[in-house]
Amino acid sequence: MNELMNSGALNIAALALSLLVTLVGLIVWFFVNRASVRANEQIELLEALLDQQKRQNALLRRLCEANEPDAAAAESAEKPQPPADDFVRLVAER
């Protein structure tokens, strides 16, 4: 009779252990899956941001090219040279 009770207790203990392992596995899977979904969302947002930055760079490049003066006009225009001591007056003496 004692042998039957021990085998029944072992079966219940094995069942409880397997349920506990299954529960821990599901909890671990939940957090791993959640982290994976968040990482995928962040990747999508970063890719969208990269695409917008590429478009902004292209627009900026076109604006810079449109606002460039002609090469001949730039060579013919003389630029006045600022006096050399301008920066000296801006620096405070210690």
Side-chain angles (χ1 to χ4, degrees):
M1 187 81 153
N2 195 14
E3 293 174 5
L4 290 176
M5 293 288 267
N6 286 339
S7 68
L10 287 176
N11 284 338
I12 291 174
L15 180 62
L17 183 64
S18 66
L19 286 175
L20 182 66
V21 168
T22 303
L23 183 64
V24 169
L26 286 174
I27 291 171
V28 168
W29 173 81
F30 171 76
F31 285 110
V32 168
N33 190 26
R34 183 176 169 195
S36 174
V37 168
R38 286 188 179 200
N40 288 339
E41 289 174 355
Q42 288 178 350
I43 289 172
E44 288 176 9
L45 290 173
L46 287 172
E47 287 175 348
L49 183 64
L50 178 66
D51 185 42
Q52 289 177 358
Q53 285 178 343
K54 284 182 180 179
R55 283 187 276 158
Q56 286 177 350
N57 285 342
L59 285 173
L60 184 61
R61 202 170 283 126
R62 282 193 281 169
L63 280 172
C64 289
E65 289 172 358
N67 289 334
E68 280 183 353
D70 292 334
E75 290 176 6
S76 64
E78 293 182 21
K79 296 180 184 176
Q81 296 293 330
D85 61 344
D86 278 351
F87 291 110
V88 175
R89 285 184 274 147
L90 294 176
V91 177
E93 293 183 19
R94 294 186 183 197

